[in-house]
Amino acid sequence: MIPRSRRQFLFICLLQYLRVSSSRDWMDAIGPTAILNDGMPRVAPPRNKTKDYASIASSTTNAMSHMMAQHIEIEMHGSTTTLFEEVDPFRITSEPSSAPSYTPTSIPSVEPSSYPTGAPSSSPTESVPPTFTPTAKPTKMPTAAPTFSVVSTPLNPKSGYFNYDPHGQYGPSKWKNIQQIDENDPGYFWHTFDLDEEVTNDCDSGKKQSPIDVCRKPRDSCTETHEMRPKSGDYKMDSNFITKQILSNKLRLIMAPRTGEEPDPPQIDFSSNGRGIIDMTNIDFKFPSEHTVCGHRFDGEMQYFTYHPARKRFVAVSFFLDASEQNPRNDHLQEVIEEFQLLYKDDTRKCREKHTVSSSANSFASGFASGGGRKLHADGNITEPIDDWISIEPEQHDSWNTTIPESYQQQGGLRSQQQQRRLALKWHPFHPDIQKSVHFWGYSGSFTEPPCTRDSVDWKIMDVPTPISPKQLAQFKQILFTHIDENCRRTSVHNVNGSVARPTQDSLKYYKCTRDDYVSDEERAVCGDDGCVNPFGAGLNTYYPPVVDVTGPPTHSPSKK
């Protein structure tokens, strides 16, 4: 039995040695739950793995006399060494000391250095602060306007032939050379009426020629006392009372003349043209516009002609056509487009049938040599095979409206139920989809094609354009510029710019009617002659401001002509 005092002495000595060996906890050295392989030096676990702490103390006492010479084995970094062997606790071994710990320590293992590791990095680049305003949508590049090939000038044209080539021998500057207007020429139509002026070629006379440019400062006074008062008449767009024509330089609707009390053609009451109502004779569509406003030319022009039998002159109401990108489809004018489409397809079908008959009777070569090819007007010579033209089908163009059924027949084609319901109504030339204003510019001028008869037309140019969609504009142009008649001849005389508009002529004295002269009849009925504070358009519809404002009263300066 070891005395108590000696046991205490031995225990103190043991603790002292453990402190010297940098052991963190004496229980690690003598307890059965020693923490191993954590990279720290510690006494190896007892080899007998006994739980008898008394025997451990006894064996320690017996060896105490040799304690200072004894090498106590410890493990460091997975290798065995002795207590008194010089140990580098940070030495690098060839193998890892233990498996990595999966439990993070609460204290960081590496303290931050007190000095910077190197030269400071370059100053950071300041980033651009984000914008909170959304960027505009990418602009979709507009597709190029469709180009329409120009028809070759005939080798032996008729005496009344003309076109719109600004540099050609039959262009507007050469119209003065036309000596005779034949029945099939566009200008012949005007002289089926009893005009006050003699039928002469006035295209180069410089006397009251149209079209002109109108702008902000008129040189004459408005004499109108009320708005134009139109009546729709009884004609439907698909009826035989309205004849559709695809001419060389325009699309035309001809109103059947009055033959009795009923049916009535469209009519207009003009306050400045004497008493009575004037019947409408025809509507012409030109592309682009012929008149201009302060130098701006619109996408098209729709010209309503009426004939005053007492004064023996025409009164023309002109609506500009505006095909801005944001414009929706004009349903009222779509009826007109569809009727022209039917005529276009019917002429193409007749041409194809005629070509088929000719091809079956002759070989293609002999038929081509004997006249089976394309002719340009009656006296023209063929230069291209007919198939090059009759293959131009409307369906090949995205701009073509597809409401015409495929079951189109010779008698005019089958129409959809929607078309039939729409065409069952009378077609009103002054429908709200067309007329947006009751005010206009006015002047006395001429026809805009040979023979350019001077001082034969009183022009009234509306100051708010009629909106149509870009697709509708393309449809109008497709019909006019690519038309083939039943004799397989291309009919259009447009120039390389896709224009059948006569250039503007020398300025004439014109006037401008505004709200200072009169307001719409409905507005006058509601608010009196001076109109309402918030103005109305025709029929109390939305008021649309004019494309330009007339500044100040007319100057009354003498006309240039």
Side-chain angles (χ1 to χ4, degrees), residues 31 37 92 132 162 178 190 226 235 383 443 453 460 466 537 558:
N37 299 326
I92 301 175
F132 294 96
F162 66 92
I178 296 177
W190 308 117
H226 61 74
Y235 296 170
T383 58
Y443 75 101
T453 308
K460 302 180 186 297
T466 297

Side-chain angles (χ1 to χ4, degrees), residues 196-245:
D196 195 31
E197 291 289 334
E198 182 182 358
V199 181
T200 57
N201 188 333
D202 292 330
C203 293
D204 195 45
S205 67
K207 297 179 179 179
K208 289 197 171 184
Q209 289 297 293
S210 298
I212 65 170
D213 178 71
V214 294
C215 198
R216 301 177 183 276
K217 295 184 177 181
R219 294 183 291 158
D220 208 345
S221 299
C222 174
T223 60
E224 310 283 338
T225 59
H226 61 74
E227 66 170 287
M228 291 179 285
R229 293 168 178 167
K231 294 184 178 180
S232 65
D234 301 317
Y235 296 170
K236 301 174 184 178
M237 183 50 63
D238 66 334
S239 69
N240 293 330
F241 291 105
I242 301 179
T243 302
K244 297 85 183 176
Q245 291 182 335

Side-chain angles (χ1 to χ4, degrees), residues 156-398:
N156 299 302
K158 296 186 299 182
S159 59
Y161 174 79
F162 66 92
N163 60 29
Y164 290 82
D165 181 359
H167 308 295
Q169 60 177 330
Y170 299 101
S173 62
K174 305 297 183 181
W175 289 357
K176 61 183 178 181
N177 299 327
I178 296 177
Q179 300 298 321
Q180 181 180 350
I181 301 296
D182 295 329
E183 183 177 353
N184 293 326
D185 293 320
Y188 182 83
F189 172 79
W190 308 117
H191 296 282
T192 59
F193 298 86
D194 185 15
L195 293 176
D196 195 31
E197 291 289 334
E198 182 182 358
V199 181
T200 57
N201 188 333
D202 292 330
C203 293
D204 195 45
S205 67
K207 297 179 179 179
K208 289 197 171 184
Q209 289 297 293
S210 298
I212 65 170
D213 178 71
V214 294
C215 198
R216 301 177 183 276
K217 295 184 177 181
R219 294 183 291 158
D220 208 345
S221 299
C222 174
T223 60
E224 310 283 338
T225 59
H226 61 74
E227 66 170 287
M228 291 179 285
R229 293 168 178 167
K231 294 184 178 180
S232 65
D234 301 317
Y235 296 170
K236 301 174 184 178
M237 183 50 63
D238 66 334
S239 69
N240 293 330
F241 291 105
I242 301 179
T243 302
K244 297 85 183 176
Q245 291 182 335
I246 304 176
L247 302 177
S248 62
N249 66 336
K250 64 172 70 72
L251 302 177
R252 172 172 282 171
L253 301 174
I254 298 178
M255 308 297 169
R258 184 188 301 273
T259 57
E261 293 298 328
E262 297 290 344
D264 291 330
Q267 309 157 66
I268 308 175
D269 176 13
F270 298 102
S271 68
S272 62
N273 287 302
R275 298 180 181 274
I277 299 176
I278 308 176
D279 291 345
M280 186 177 295
T281 59
N282 60 287
I283 300 176
D284 290 347
F285 296 84
K286 304 294 290 286
F287 305 96
S289 69
E290 296 193 296
H291 291 89
T292 60
V293 178
C294 300
H296 175 71
R297 193 177 299 277
F298 288 84
D299 296 311
E301 187 170 340
M302 188 166 48
Q303 301 166 347
Y304 295 3
F305 286 91
T306 62
Y307 176 70
H308 198 295
R311 300 179 63 204
K312 295 184 179 182
R313 61 189 295 115
F314 282 87
V315 181
V317 180
S318 182
F319 291 91
F320 293 120
L321 296 177
D322 172 52
S324 297
E325 191 66 31
Q326 70 276 8
N327 286 350
R329 189 179 86 158
N330 189 314
D331 289 335
H332 199 62
L333 281 180
Q334 188 63 35
E335 297 181 37
V336 178
I337 293 174
E338 290 170 1
E339 289 300 307
F340 280 124
Q341 286 175 343
L342 288 172
L343 178 59
Y344 182 106
K345 290 177 70 74
D346 194 41
D347 285 346
T348 302
R349 177 188 57 80
K350 292 177 181 178
C351 169
R352 188 181 298 279
E353 289 177 351
K354 180 175 293 188
H355 173 61
T356 301
V357 172
S358 175
S359 297
S360 62
N362 306 283
S363 65
F364 181 81
S366 62
F368 184 78
S370 62
R374 178 174 68 95
K375 288 186 177 181
L376 297 176
H377 301 274
D379 300 324
N381 294 328
I382 55 176
T383 58
E384 301 173 56
I386 184 176
D387 284 342
D388 289 347
W389 298 116
I390 64 173
S391 61
I392 300 177
E393 288 292 340
E395 290 81 359
Q396 296 176 2
H397 303 276
D398 293 337

Side-chain angles (χ1 to χ4, degrees), residues 449-464:
E449 61 193 3
C452 314
T453 308
R454 62 184 179 183
D455 197 21
S456 55
V457 183
D458 290 333
W459 286 95
K460 302 180 186 297
I461 305 166
M462 306 305 293
D463 63 2
V464 176

